[in-house]
Amino acid sequence: QVQLVESGGGLVQAGGSLRLSCTASGRIVSDHSMGWFRQAPGKEREFVATISWSGASTYYHESVKGRFTISRDNAKNTLYLQMNRLRPEDTAVYYCAARNGAYWYTSPSDFGSWGQGTQVTVSS
């Protein structure tokens, strides 16, 4: 029902910044809670951050709290993840996801729509 496309990944030095974007189509995104997840080689897919449909409420994984900011622009059907003070352990494929419900769910199985992912590589 909802199609998601991520962009903005790349290679950055430790301590640097990147901003990821996720554009939605197929259905308005304003009635969906959305989130960012990541998956590093050899590891399971991991919750990064979620945001309510209005953008008023957010929730972050402890490892990114204070460094990453999730936001959304519903007029543009776009989700963002501003990543600052990046660390090598942040290296992963980053995915955006959407669900019809509350924002505080953090399991990948709770999200029904997924993007293709964008690679983020942080060098030491």
Side-chain angles (χ1 to χ4, degrees), residues 23-103:
T23 300
S25 62
R27 187 179 181 183
I28 58 171
V29 72
S30 58
D31 62 348
H32 287 75
S33 297
M34 301 190 70
W36 287 98
F37 295 78
R38 65 187 181 187
Q39 188 164 19
K43 297 184 178 181
E44 63 187 21
R45 190 164 296 187
E46 177 186 55
F47 155 74
V48 176
T50 58
I51 189 167
S52 63
W53 68 268
S54 69
S57 300
T58 58
Y59 186 54
Y60 296 93
H61 189 276
E62 181 180 350
S63 67
V64 307
K65 190 177 299 182
R67 300 189 297 120
F68 292 9
T69 301
I70 187 172
S71 62
R72 65 194 297 170
D73 185 341
N74 288 343
K76 297 181 178 180
N77 287 338
T78 302
L79 176 74
Y80 302 98
L81 185 68
Q82 178 66 48
M83 305 185 293
N84 298 325
R85 292 179 284 150
L86 283 161
R87 306 166 180 169
E89 53 263 42
D90 294 320
T91 295
V93 177
Y94 283 71
Y95 300 88
C96 66
R99 70 183 307 274
N100 288 312
Y103 73 97

